Coordinates of all heavy atoms in Angstrom, one line a residue:
M1 N 0.8 -1.2 0.0 CA 0.0 0.0 0.0 C 0.9 1.2 0.0 O 1.9 1.3 0.7 CB -0.9 0.0 1.2 CG -1.9 1.1 1.2 SD -3.3 0.9 2.3 CE -2.6 1.5 3.8
A2 N 0.5 2.3 -0.8 CA 1.3 3.5 -0.9 C 1.2 4.3 0.3 O 0.1 4.4 0.9 CB 0.8 4.3 -2.2
P3 N 2.2 5.0 0.7 CA 2.2 5.9 1.8 C 1.3 7.1 1.4 O 1.3 7.6 0.3 CB 3.6 6.4 2.0 CG 4.4 6.0 0.7 CD 3.5 5.0 0.1
A4 N 0.4 7.4 2.3 CA -0.6 8.4 2.1 C 0.0 9.8 2.4 O 0.8 10.0 3.2 CB -1.8 8.2 2.9
T5 N -0.6 10.8 1.7 CA -0.4 12.1 2.0 C -1.3 12.4 3.2 O -2.3 11.7 3.4 CB -0.7 13.1 0.9 OG1 -2.1 12.9 0.5 CG2 0.2 12.8 -0.3
S6 N -1.1 13.5 3.9 CA -2.1 14.0 4.8 C -2.4 15.4 4.6 O -1.6 16.1 4.0 CB -1.6 13.8 6.3 OG -0.4 14.5 6.5
T7 N -3.6 15.8 4.9 CA -4.1 17.2 4.7 C -4.5 17.8 5.9 O -5.2 17.2 6.8 CB -5.2 17.1 3.6 OG1 -4.8 16.4 2.4 CG2 -5.6 18.5 3.3
E8 N -4.2 19.1 6.0 CA -4.7 19.9 7.2 C -5.0 21.3 6.6 O -4.6 21.6 5.5 CB -3.7 19.9 8.3 CG -2.4 20.5 7.9 CD -1.3 20.4 9.0 OE1 -1.2 19.5 9.7 OE2 -0.5 21.5 9.2
R9 N -5.8 22.0 7.3 CA -6.1 23.4 6.9 C -5.1 24.4 7.6 O -4.8 24.3 8.8 CB -7.5 23.8 7.3 CG -8.6 23.0 6.6 CD -8.7 23.6 5.2 NE -9.6 22.8 4.4 CZ -9.9 23.0 3.1 NH1 -9.4 24.0 2.6 NH2 -10.7 22.2 2.5
R10 N -4.6 25.3 6.7 CA -3.7 26.3 7.3 C -4.5 27.3 8.1 O -5.6 27.6 7.7 CB -3.0 27.0 6.2 CG -1.9 26.2 5.6 CD -1.0 26.9 4.7 NE -1.4 28.2 4.2 CZ -0.6 29.0 3.6 NH1 0.7 28.8 3.5 NH2 -1.1 30.2 3.1
Q11 N -3.9 27.9 9.1 CA -4.6 28.9 9.8 C -4.4 30.2 9.0 O -3.5 30.4 8.2 CB -3.9 29.2 11.2 CG -4.1 28.0 12.1 CD -3.6 28.1 13.4 OE1 -3.0 29.2 13.8 NE2 -3.7 27.2 14.3
G12 N -5.3 31.1 9.1 CA -5.3 32.4 8.4 C -6.2 32.2 7.0 O -7.3 32.6 7.1
D13 N -5.6 31.7 6.0 CA -6.3 31.6 4.7 C -7.2 30.4 4.6 O -8.0 30.3 3.7 CB -5.4 31.8 3.6 CG -4.4 30.7 3.4 OD1 -4.4 29.8 4.2 OD2 -3.5 30.8 2.6
G14 N -6.9 29.4 5.4 CA -7.7 28.2 5.3 C -7.4 27.3 4.2 O -8.1 26.3 3.9
A15 N -6.4 27.6 3.5 CA -6.0 26.8 2.3 C -5.5 25.4 2.8 O -4.9 25.2 3.8 CB -4.8 27.4 1.5
P16 N -5.9 24.4 2.0 CA -5.4 23.0 2.4 C -3.9 23.0 2.3 O -3.3 23.6 1.4 CB -6.1 22.1 1.3 CG -6.7 23.0 0.3 CD -6.8 24.4 0.8
R17 N -3.3 22.2 3.2 CA -1.9 22.0 3.2 C -1.7 20.5 3.1 O -2.0 19.8 4.1 CB -1.3 22.6 4.5 CG 0.2 22.4 4.7 CD 0.6 23.2 6.0 NE 2.0 23.0 6.3 CZ 2.5 22.1 7.1 NH1 1.6 21.4 7.9 NH2 3.7 22.0 7.4
I18 N -1.1 20.1 2.0 CA -0.9 18.6 1.8 C 0.5 18.3 2.2 O 1.4 18.9 1.7 CB -1.2 18.3 0.3 CG1 -2.6 18.5 0.0 CG2 -0.8 16.8 0.1 CD1 -2.9 18.3 -1.5
I19 N 0.6 17.4 3.2 CA 1.9 17.0 3.7 C 2.4 15.8 3.0 O 1.7 14.7 3.0 CB 1.9 16.7 5.2 CG1 1.4 18.0 5.9 CG2 3.2 16.3 5.7 CD1 1.0 17.8 7.3
L20 N 3.4 15.8 2.2 CA 3.9 14.7 1.4 C 4.6 13.7 2.2 O 5.2 14.0 3.2 CB 4.9 15.3 0.3 CG 4.4 16.3 -0.7 CD1 5.4 16.7 -1.6 CD2 3.1 15.7 -1.4
P21 N 4.5 12.4 1.7 CA 5.2 11.3 2.4 C 6.7 11.3 2.1 O 7.3 12.1 1.3 CB 4.7 10.0 1.8 CG 4.3 10.5 0.4 CD 3.8 12.0 0.5
A22 N 7.6 10.6 2.9 CA 9.0 10.5 2.8 C 9.4 10.1 1.4 O 10.4 10.5 0.8 CB 9.6 9.7 3.9
R23 N 8.7 9.1 0.9 CA 9.0 8.6 -0.5 C 7.9 9.1 -1.5 O 6.8 8.6 -1.4 CB 9.1 7.1 -0.5 CG 10.2 6.6 0.2 CD 10.4 5.0 0.0 NE 10.6 4.7 -1.4 CZ 11.8 4.8 -2.1 NH1 12.9 5.1 -1.3 NH2 11.9 4.5 -3.3
L24 N 8.3 10.0 -2.4 CA 7.3 10.5 -3.4 C 7.7 9.8 -4.7 O 8.3 10.4 -5.5 CB 7.4 12.0 -3.5 CG 6.3 12.6 -4.3 CD1 4.9 12.2 -3.7 CD2 6.4 14.2 -4.2
D25 N 7.3 8.5 -4.8 CA 7.7 7.7 -5.9 C 6.4 7.2 -6.6 O 5.3 7.7 -6.4 CB 8.6 6.5 -5.5 CG 7.9 5.8 -4.3 OD1 6.8 6.0 -3.9 OD2 8.7 4.9 -3.8
L26 N 6.5 6.2 -7.4 CA 5.4 5.7 -8.2 C 4.1 5.3 -7.3 O 3.1 5.8 -7.7 CB 5.8 4.5 -9.1 CG 4.7 3.9 -10.0 CD1 4.1 4.9 -10.9 CD2 5.3 2.7 -10.7
P27 N 4.3 4.5 -6.2 CA 3.1 4.3 -5.4 C 2.5 5.4 -4.8 O 1.3 5.4 -4.5 CB 3.7 3.3 -4.3 CG 4.9 2.7 -5.0 CD 5.5 3.8 -5.8
A28 N 3.2 6.5 -4.6 CA 2.7 7.7 -4.0 C 2.1 8.7 -5.0 O 1.3 9.6 -4.6 CB 3.7 8.4 -3.1
A29 N 2.5 8.6 -6.2 CA 2.0 9.5 -7.2 C 0.5 9.6 -7.5 O -0.1 10.7 -7.5 CB 2.8 9.3 -8.6
A30 N -0.1 8.4 -7.7 CA -1.6 8.5 -7.9 C -2.4 9.0 -6.8 O -3.3 9.8 -6.9 CB -2.0 7.0 -8.3
P31 N -2.0 8.6 -5.5 CA -2.8 9.1 -4.4 C -2.6 10.7 -4.3 O -3.5 11.4 -3.9 CB -2.2 8.4 -3.2 CG -1.7 7.1 -3.7 CD -1.2 7.4 -5.1
L32 N -1.4 11.1 -4.6 CA -1.1 12.6 -4.5 C -1.9 13.3 -5.6 O -2.5 14.3 -5.3 CB 0.3 12.9 -4.7 CG 0.7 14.4 -4.8 CD1 0.3 15.2 -3.6 CD2 2.2 14.6 -5.0
A33 N -1.9 12.8 -6.8 CA -2.7 13.3 -7.9 C -4.2 13.4 -7.5 O -4.9 14.5 -7.7 CB -2.6 12.6 -9.2
A34 N -4.7 12.4 -6.9 CA -6.2 12.4 -6.4 C -6.4 13.4 -5.3 O -7.4 14.1 -5.4 CB -6.5 11.0 -5.9
E35 N -5.5 13.5 -4.4 CA -5.6 14.5 -3.3 C -5.5 15.9 -4.0 O -6.4 16.8 -3.5 CB -4.5 14.3 -2.3 CG -4.5 15.2 -1.2 CD -5.7 14.9 -0.2 OE1 -6.2 13.9 -0.2 OE2 -6.0 15.8 0.6
L36 N -4.7 16.2 -4.8 CA -4.6 17.4 -5.4 C -5.9 17.8 -6.2 O -6.4 18.8 -6.1 CB -3.4 17.6 -6.4 CG -2.1 17.6 -5.7 CD1 -0.9 17.3 -6.7 CD2 -1.8 19.0 -5.1
Q37 N -6.4 16.8 -7.0 CA -7.7 17.0 -7.6 C -8.8 17.4 -6.8 O -9.7 18.2 -7.1 CB -8.0 15.8 -8.5 CG -9.2 15.9 -9.4 CD -9.0 17.0 -10.4 OE1 -7.9 17.3 -10.9 NE2 -10.0 17.8 -10.7
S38 N -8.8 16.8 -5.6 CA -9.9 17.0 -4.6 C -9.9 18.5 -4.1 O -10.9 18.9 -3.5 CB -9.9 16.1 -3.5 OG -8.9 16.3 -2.6
H39 N -8.8 19.2 -4.3 CA -8.7 20.6 -3.9 C -8.5 21.6 -5.0 O -7.9 22.7 -4.9 CB -7.5 20.7 -2.9 CG -7.7 19.9 -1.7 ND1 -8.5 20.2 -0.7 CD2 -7.0 18.8 -1.3 CE1 -8.5 19.2 0.3 NE2 -7.6 18.4 0.0
A40 N -8.9 21.1 -6.2 CA -8.6 21.9 -7.4 C -9.2 23.2 -7.6 O -9.0 24.0 -8.5 CB -8.8 21.0 -8.7
D41 N -10.2 23.5 -6.7 CA -11.0 24.7 -6.8 C -10.4 26.0 -6.2 O -11.0 27.0 -6.2 CB -12.4 24.5 -6.4 CG -12.5 24.1 -5.0 OD1 -11.4 23.7 -4.4 OD2 -13.6 24.2 -4.4
G42 N -9.2 25.9 -5.5 CA -8.7 27.0 -4.8 C -7.2 26.9 -4.5 O -6.6 26.1 -5.1
P43 N -6.7 27.8 -3.7 CA -5.3 27.8 -3.4 C -4.9 26.5 -2.6 O -5.7 25.8 -2.0 CB -5.1 29.0 -2.5 CG -6.5 29.2 -1.8 CD -7.5 28.7 -2.9
I44 N -3.6 26.2 -2.7 CA -3.1 25.0 -2.1 C -1.7 25.2 -1.7 O -0.9 25.9 -2.3 CB -3.3 23.8 -3.0 CG1 -3.3 22.5 -2.2 CG2 -2.3 23.8 -4.1 CD1 -3.8 21.3 -2.8
V45 N -1.3 24.5 -0.6 CA 0.0 24.5 -0.1 C 0.5 23.1 0.0 O -0.2 22.3 0.6 CB 0.2 25.3 1.3 CG1 1.6 25.2 1.8 CG2 -0.3 26.7 1.2
I46 N 1.7 22.9 -0.5 CA 2.3 21.5 -0.4 C 3.5 21.6 0.6 O 4.3 22.5 0.5 CB 2.9 21.0 -1.8 CG1 1.7 21.0 -2.8 CG2 3.5 19.7 -1.7 CD1 0.7 20.1 -2.6
D47 N 3.5 20.7 1.5 CA 4.7 20.6 2.5 C 5.5 19.4 2.1 O 5.2 18.3 2.3 CB 4.1 20.4 3.8 CG 5.2 20.4 4.9 OD1 6.4 20.2 4.6 OD2 4.9 20.6 6.1
A48 N 6.7 19.8 1.5 CA 7.7 18.7 1.1 C 8.8 18.5 2.0 O 9.7 17.8 1.7 CB 8.2 19.1 -0.3
T49 N 8.7 19.0 3.3 CA 9.7 18.9 4.2 C 10.2 17.5 4.5 O 11.3 17.3 4.8 CB 9.2 19.6 5.6 OG1 8.8 20.9 5.3 CG2 10.3 19.7 6.6
N50 N 9.2 16.5 4.5 CA 9.5 15.1 4.9 C 10.1 14.3 3.7 O 10.4 13.2 4.0 CB 8.3 14.4 5.5 CG 7.8 15.1 6.7 OD1 8.5 15.5 7.5 ND2 6.5 15.1 6.8
V51 N 10.1 14.9 2.6 CA 10.4 14.1 1.4 C 12.0 13.8 1.4 O 12.8 14.7 1.4 CB 10.1 14.8 0.0 CG1 10.6 14.0 -1.2 CG2 8.5 15.0 -0.1
A52 N 12.2 12.5 1.4 CA 13.6 12.0 1.4 C 14.0 11.4 0.1 O 15.1 11.3 -0.4 CB 13.9 11.0 2.5
H53 N 12.9 11.0 -0.7 CA 13.1 10.3 -2.1 C 12.1 10.9 -3.0 O 10.8 10.8 -2.8 CB 13.0 8.8 -2.0 CG 13.0 8.2 -3.3 ND1 14.2 8.0 -4.0 CD2 12.0 7.8 -4.1 CE1 13.9 7.4 -5.2 NE2 12.6 7.3 -5.3
L54 N 12.6 11.6 -4.0 CA 11.7 12.2 -5.1 C 11.9 11.4 -6.3 O 12.9 11.5 -7.0 CB 12.1 13.6 -5.2 CG 11.3 14.4 -6.3 CD1 9.8 14.4 -6.0 CD2 11.9 15.8 -6.5
G55 N 10.9 10.6 -6.7 CA 11.0 9.9 -8.0 C 10.3 10.6 -9.1 O 9.6 11.6 -8.9
T56 N 10.6 10.2 -10.3 CA 10.0 10.8 -11.5 C 8.5 11.0 -11.5 O 8.0 12.0 -11.8 CB 10.5 10.1 -12.8 OG1 12.0 10.1 -12.8 CG2 10.1 10.8 -14.0
P57 N 7.8 9.9 -11.1 CA 6.3 10.0 -11.1 C 5.9 11.1 -10.1 O 4.9 11.9 -10.5 CB 5.8 8.6 -10.7 CG 7.0 7.7 -11.0 CD 8.2 8.5 -10.9
G58 N 6.4 11.2 -8.9 CA 6.0 12.2 -8.0 C 6.3 13.6 -8.5 O 5.6 14.6 -8.4
L59 N 7.5 13.7 -9.1 CA 7.9 15.0 -9.7 C 7.0 15.4 -10.8 O 6.6 16.6 -10.9 CB 9.4 14.9 -10.1 CG 9.9 16.2 -10.8 CD1 9.9 17.4 -9.8 CD2 11.3 16.0 -11.4
Q60 N 6.6 14.5 -11.6 CA 5.6 14.8 -12.7 C 4.3 15.4 -12.1 O 3.8 16.3 -12.7 CB 5.4 13.6 -13.6 CG 6.6 13.2 -14.4 CD 6.4 11.9 -15.2 OE1 5.8 10.9 -14.7 NE2 6.9 11.9 -16.4
V61 N 3.8 14.7 -11.1 CA 2.5 15.1 -10.5 C 2.7 16.6 -10.0 O 1.8 17.4 -10.2 CB 2.1 14.2 -9.4 CG1 0.9 14.8 -8.6 CG2 1.7 12.8 -9.9
L62 N 3.8 16.9 -9.3 CA 4.0 18.2 -8.7 C 4.2 19.3 -9.9 O 3.6 20.3 -9.8 CB 5.3 18.2 -7.8 CG 5.1 17.5 -6.5 CD1 6.5 17.6 -5.8 CD2 4.0 18.0 -5.7
L63 N 4.9 19.0 -10.9 CA 5.1 19.9 -12.0 C 3.8 20.2 -12.7 O 3.5 21.3 -13.1 CB 6.1 19.4 -12.9 CG 7.6 19.5 -12.4 CD1 8.6 18.8 -13.4 CD2 8.0 21.0 -12.2
S64 N 3.0 19.1 -12.9 CA 1.7 19.3 -13.6 C 0.8 20.1 -12.8 O 0.1 21.0 -13.2 CB 1.1 17.9 -13.8 OG -0.2 18.0 -14.3
A65 N 0.8 19.9 -11.4 CA -0.1 20.7 -10.5 C 0.3 22.1 -10.5 O -0.5 23.0 -10.5 CB 0.0 20.1 -9.1
V66 N 1.7 22.4 -10.4 CA 2.1 23.8 -10.4 C 1.6 24.5 -11.7 O 1.0 25.6 -11.6 CB 3.7 23.8 -10.4 CG1 4.2 25.2 -10.7 CG2 4.2 23.4 -9.0
R67 N 1.8 23.9 -12.8 CA 1.4 24.5 -14.0 C -0.2 24.7 -14.1 O -0.7 25.8 -14.4 CB 1.8 23.7 -15.2 CG 1.5 24.3 -16.5 CD 2.1 23.6 -17.7 NE 1.9 24.3 -18.9 CZ 2.7 24.3 -19.9 NH1 3.7 23.5 -19.9 NH2 2.4 25.1 -20.9
T68 N -0.9 23.7 -13.7 CA -2.4 23.8 -13.7 C -2.8 24.9 -12.8 O -3.7 25.7 -13.2 CB -3.0 22.4 -13.3 OG1 -2.6 21.4 -14.2 CG2 -4.5 22.5 -13.2
W69 N -2.3 25.0 -11.6 CA -2.8 26.0 -10.6 C -2.4 27.4 -11.2 O -3.3 28.3 -11.2 CB -2.2 25.8 -9.3 CG -3.1 25.1 -8.3 CD1 -3.8 25.8 -7.3 CD2 -3.6 23.7 -8.2 NE1 -4.6 24.8 -6.6 CE2 -4.5 23.7 -7.1 CE3 -3.3 22.6 -9.0 CZ2 -5.1 22.5 -6.8 CZ3 -3.9 21.4 -8.6 CH2 -4.8 21.3 -7.5
W70 N -1.2 27.6 -11.6 CA -0.8 28.9 -12.0 C -1.5 29.3 -13.3 O -1.8 30.5 -13.4 CB 0.7 28.9 -12.2 CG 1.5 28.8 -10.9 CD1 1.0 29.0 -9.6 CD2 2.9 28.5 -10.8 NE1 2.0 28.8 -8.8 CE2 3.1 28.6 -9.4 CE3 3.9 28.3 -11.6 CZ2 4.4 28.3 -8.9 CZ3 5.2 28.0 -11.1 CH2 5.4 28.0 -9.8
E71 N -1.7 28.4 -14.2 CA -2.4 28.8 -15.5 C -3.9 29.3 -15.2 O -4.4 30.1 -15.9 CB -2.4 27.7 -16.5 CG -1.0 27.5 -17.1 CD -1.0 26.4 -18.2 OE1 -1.9 25.6 -18.3 OE2 0.1 26.3 -18.8
S72 N -4.4 28.8 -14.1 CA -5.8 29.1 -13.8 C -5.8 30.3 -12.8 O -6.9 30.7 -12.3 CB -6.6 28.0 -13.2 OG -6.0 27.6 -11.9
G73 N -4.7 30.8 -12.4 CA -4.7 32.0 -11.5 C -4.8 31.7 -10.1 O -5.0 32.6 -9.3
R74 N -4.8 30.4 -9.7 CA -4.9 30.1 -8.3 C -3.5 29.9 -7.6 O -2.5 29.6 -8.3 CB -5.6 28.7 -8.1 CG -7.0 28.8 -8.6 CD -7.7 27.4 -8.4 NE -7.0 26.4 -9.0 CZ -7.3 25.7 -10.1 NH1 -8.4 25.9 -10.7 NH2 -6.6 24.7 -10.5
D75 N -3.5 30.2 -6.4 CA -2.2 30.1 -5.6 C -1.8 28.7 -5.4 O -2.6 27.9 -4.9 CB -2.3 30.9 -4.3 CG -2.3 32.3 -4.4 OD1 -1.9 32.9 -5.5 OD2 -2.9 33.0 -3.5
F76 N -0.5 28.4 -5.7 CA 0.1 27.0 -5.4 C 1.4 27.3 -4.9 O 2.3 27.9 -5.5 CB 0.1 26.2 -6.7 CG 0.6 24.9 -6.5 CD1 -0.3 23.8 -6.5 CD2 1.9 24.5 -6.5 CE1 0.1 22.5 -6.4 CE2 2.4 23.2 -6.3 CZ 1.4 22.2 -6.3
S77 N 1.7 26.7 -3.7 CA 3.1 26.9 -3.1 C 3.6 25.6 -2.6 O 2.8 24.8 -2.2 CB 3.2 28.0 -2.2 OG 2.3 27.7 -1.0
I78 N 4.9 25.4 -2.6 CA 5.5 24.2 -2.0 C 6.5 24.7 -1.0 O 7.5 25.5 -1.3 CB 6.2 23.4 -3.1 CG1 5.2 23.0 -4.2 CG2 6.9 22.2 -2.4 CD1 5.8 22.1 -5.2
E79 N 6.3 24.2 0.2 CA 7.2 24.5 1.4 C 8.2 23.3 1.5 O 7.9 22.2 1.2 CB 6.5 24.6 2.6 CG 5.4 25.7 2.6 CD 4.5 25.7 3.8 OE1 4.5 24.8 4.6 OE2 3.8 26.7 4.1
G80 N 9.5 23.6 1.9 CA 10.4 22.6 2.2 C 11.3 22.2 1.1 O 12.1 21.2 1.2
L81 N 11.2 22.9 0.0 CA 12.1 22.5 -1.2 C 13.6 22.9 -1.0 O 14.4 22.5 -1.7 CB 11.6 23.2 -2.5 CG 10.3 22.7 -3.0 CD1 9.9 23.4 -4.3 CD2 10.4 21.2 -3.4
E82 N 13.7 23.6 0.1 CA 15.2 24.0 0.5 C 15.9 22.9 1.2 O 17.1 23.0 1.5 CB 15.2 25.3 1.3 CG 14.3 26.3 1.0 CD 12.8 26.1 1.3 OE1 12.5 25.5 2.4 OE2 12.0 26.5 0.5
E83 N 15.2 21.9 1.6 CA 15.8 20.8 2.4 C 16.9 20.1 1.5 O 16.7 19.9 0.3 CB 14.7 19.8 2.8 CG 13.6 20.3 3.7 CD 14.1 20.8 5.0 OE1 15.0 20.2 5.6 OE2 13.6 21.8 5.5
D84 N 18.0 19.7 2.2 CA 19.1 19.2 1.4 C 18.8 18.0 0.6 O 19.1 17.9 -0.6 CB 20.3 18.8 2.3 CG 21.0 20.0 2.9 OD1 20.9 21.1 2.4 OD2 21.7 19.8 3.9
A85 N 18.0 17.0 1.1 CA 17.7 15.8 0.3 C 16.9 16.1 -0.9 O 17.3 15.6 -2.0 CB 16.9 14.9 1.2
I86 N 15.9 17.0 -0.8 CA 15.1 17.3 -2.1 C 15.9 18.2 -3.0 O 15.7 18.1 -4.2 CB 13.7 17.8 -1.6 CG1 12.8 17.6 -2.9 CG2 13.7 19.2 -1.2 CD1 11.3 17.7 -2.5
T87 N 16.7 19.1 -2.4 CA 17.5 20.0 -3.3 C 18.4 19.2 -4.2 O 18.5 19.4 -5.4 CB 18.3 21.0 -2.5 OG1 17.4 21.8 -1.7 CG2 19.2 21.9 -3.3
R88 N 19.0 18.2 -3.7 CA 20.0 17.3 -4.4 C 19.1 16.5 -5.5 O 19.7 16.3 -6.6 CB 20.7 16.3 -3.5 CG 21.8 17.0 -2.7 CD 22.6 16.0 -2.0 NE 21.9 15.0 -1.1 CZ 21.6 15.2 0.2 NH1 22.1 16.4 0.8 NH2 20.9 14.3 0.9
Q89 N 18.0 16.0 -5.1 CA 17.2 15.3 -6.1 C 16.6 16.1 -7.2 O 16.6 15.7 -8.3 CB 16.2 14.5 -5.4 CG 16.8 13.4 -4.5 CD 15.8 12.7 -3.6 OE1 14.8 12.2 -4.1 NE2 16.0 12.6 -2.3
L90 N 16.3 17.3 -6.9 CA 15.8 18.2 -7.9 C 16.9 18.5 -8.9 O 16.7 18.6 -10.1 CB 15.3 19.6 -7.3 CG 13.9 19.5 -6.6 CD1 13.7 20.9 -5.9 CD2 12.8 19.2 -7.6
A91 N 18.2 18.7 -8.4 CA 19.3 19.0 -9.2 C 19.5 17.8 -10.2 O 20.0 18.1 -11.4 CB 20.6 19.2 -8.4
I92 N 19.3 16.6 -9.9 CA 19.4 15.5 -10.8 C 18.5 15.7 -12.0 O 18.9 15.3 -13.1 CB 19.1 14.1 -10.1 CG1 20.2 13.8 -9.0 CG2 18.9 13.0 -11.1 CD1 19.9 12.7 -8.1
F93 N 17.4 16.2 -11.7 CA 16.4 16.5 -12.8 C 16.6 17.8 -13.5 O 15.9 18.2 -14.4 CB 14.9 16.5 -12.2 CG 14.5 15.1 -11.8 CD1 14.4 14.9 -10.4 CD2 14.2 14.1 -12.7 CE1 13.9 13.7 -9.9 CE2 13.8 12.8 -12.2 CZ 13.6 12.7 -10.8
G94 N 17.6 18.5 -13.1 CA 18.0 19.8 -13.7 C 17.0 20.9 -13.2 O 16.8 21.9 -13.9
L95 N 16.5 20.8 -12.0 CA 15.6 21.7 -11.5 C 16.1 22.3 -10.2 O 17.0 21.7 -9.5 CB 14.2 21.1 -11.2 CG 13.4 20.5 -12.4 CD1 12.3 19.7 -12.0 CD2 13.0 21.6 -13.4
T96 N 15.5 23.4 -9.8 CA 15.8 24.0 -8.4 C 14.5 24.4 -7.8 O 13.5 24.3 -8.5 CB 16.7 25.3 -8.5 OG1 15.9 26.3 -9.2 CG2 18.0 25.0 -9.3
A97 N 14.5 24.8 -6.6 CA 13.3 25.2 -5.9 C 12.6 26.4 -6.6 O 11.4 26.5 -6.6 CB 13.6 25.6 -4.4
S98 N 13.5 27.2 -7.3 CA 12.9 28.4 -8.0 C 11.9 28.0 -9.2 O 11.1 28.7 -9.6 CB 14.0 29.3 -8.4 OG 14.8 28.7 -9.5
D99 N 12.1 26.7 -9.7 CA 11.2 26.3 -10.8 C 9.8 26.1 -10.2 O 8.9 25.9 -11.1 CB 11.8 24.9 -11.3 CG 13.1 25.2 -12.1 OD1 13.0 26.0 -13.0 OD2 14.1 24.6 -11.8
F100 N 9.6 26.1 -8.9 CA 8.3 25.9 -8.3 C 7.7 27.2 -7.8 O 6.7 27.2 -7.0 CB 8.4 24.8 -7.2 CG 8.7 23.4 -7.8 CD1 10.0 23.0 -8.0 CD2 7.7 22.6 -8.1 CE1 10.3 21.8 -8.5 CE2 7.9 21.3 -8.7 CZ 9.2 21.0 -8.8
Q101 N 8.4 28.3 -8.1 CA 8.0 29.6 -7.6 C 7.3 30.3 -8.8 O 7.6 30.2 -9.9 CB 9.2 30.4 -7.2 CG 10.0 29.8 -6.1 CD 9.1 29.6 -4.9 OE1 8.3 30.4 -4.5 NE2 9.4 28.4 -4.3
P102 N 6.2 31.1 -8.5 CA 5.5 31.8 -9.5 C 6.4 32.7 -10.3 O 7.4 33.3 -9.8 CB 4.5 32.7 -8.7 CG 4.4 32.1 -7.4 CD 5.7 31.4 -7.1
R103 N 6.2 32.8 -11.5 CA 7.0 33.6 -12.5 C 6.4 35.0 -12.5 O 5.2 35.2 -12.4 CB 6.9 33.1 -13.9 CG 7.4 31.7 -14.1 CD 8.9 31.6 -14.1 NE 9.4 30.3 -14.4 CZ 9.7 29.4 -13.5 NH1 9.7 29.6 -12.3 NH2 10.2 28.2 -13.9
A104 N 7.3 36.0 -12.5 CA 6.8 37.4 -12.6 C 6.1 37.6 -13.9 O 6.4 37.0 -15.0 CB 8.0 38.4 -12.5
A105 N 5.0 38.4 -13.9 CA 4.3 38.7 -15.2 C 5.3 39.2 -16.2 O 6.0 40.1 -16.0 CB 3.2 39.6 -14.9
E106 N 5.1 38.7 -17.4 CA 6.0 39.2 -18.5 C 5.3 40.4 -19.1 O 4.1 40.4 -19.3 CB 6.2 38.1 -19.5 CG 7.0 37.0 -19.0 CD 7.2 35.8 -20.0 OE1 6.9 36.0 -21.2 OE2 7.6 34.7 -19.6
G107 N 6.1 41.3 -19.5 CA 5.4 42.6 -20.0 C 6.2 43.0 -21.1 O 6.7 43.5 -21.9

């Protein structure tokens, strides 16, 4: 059975905060996608602090979610991307934490 994400409401704005499991790999990707879909109508915060292993399927789900939320104008943020383990794994994919930050409006 895949490790589950957990969700809590943030204080202040009430946005859902999805806490990722330690292994964000193939077994965790589909449950994460379903969890994200269930909150697709508003802002969302992802907590990646616990992630020790970032697999390609998990990364694909996150990148797809980032693009989907931003293209629709909803807030999407990921906390914990500065952690050493995930920073090293993002680098393997040629990414950094800044790839998950909103882009400034082009003008």
Side-chain angles (χ1 to χ4, degrees):
M1 185 161 86
T5 59
S6 61
T7 305
E8 59 185 42
R9 292 283 174 181
R10 288 189 343 161
Q11 294 182 2
D13 63 5
R17 181 173 174 260
I18 297 176
I19 302 169
L20 300 178
R23 291 189 61 83
L24 194 54
D25 53 8
L26 182 58
L32 174 58
E35 182 72 15
L36 288 166
Q37 185 62 34
S38 73
H39 299 290
D41 58 344
I44 199 162
V45 177
I46 304 295
D47 183 342
T49 305
N50 296 327
V51 176
H53 173 78
L54 177 62
T56 303
L59 178 61
Q60 288 173 323
V61 170
L62 290 177
L63 288 171
S64 175
V66 164
R67 184 175 187 151
T68 299
W69 257 257
W70 290 345
E71 285 180 353
S72 65
R74 296 180 309 247
D75 289 336
F76 185 100
S77 62
I78 302 180
E79 300 171 346
L81 289 178
E82 318 72 37
E83 302 294 323
D84 287 341
I86 200 162
T87 298
R88 286 191 304 271
Q89 291 174 54
L90 285 173
I92 291 169
F93 294 107
L95 300 169
T96 66
S98 66
D99 292 304
F100 294 87
Q101 301 302 318
R103 304 284 188 260
E106 295 179 13

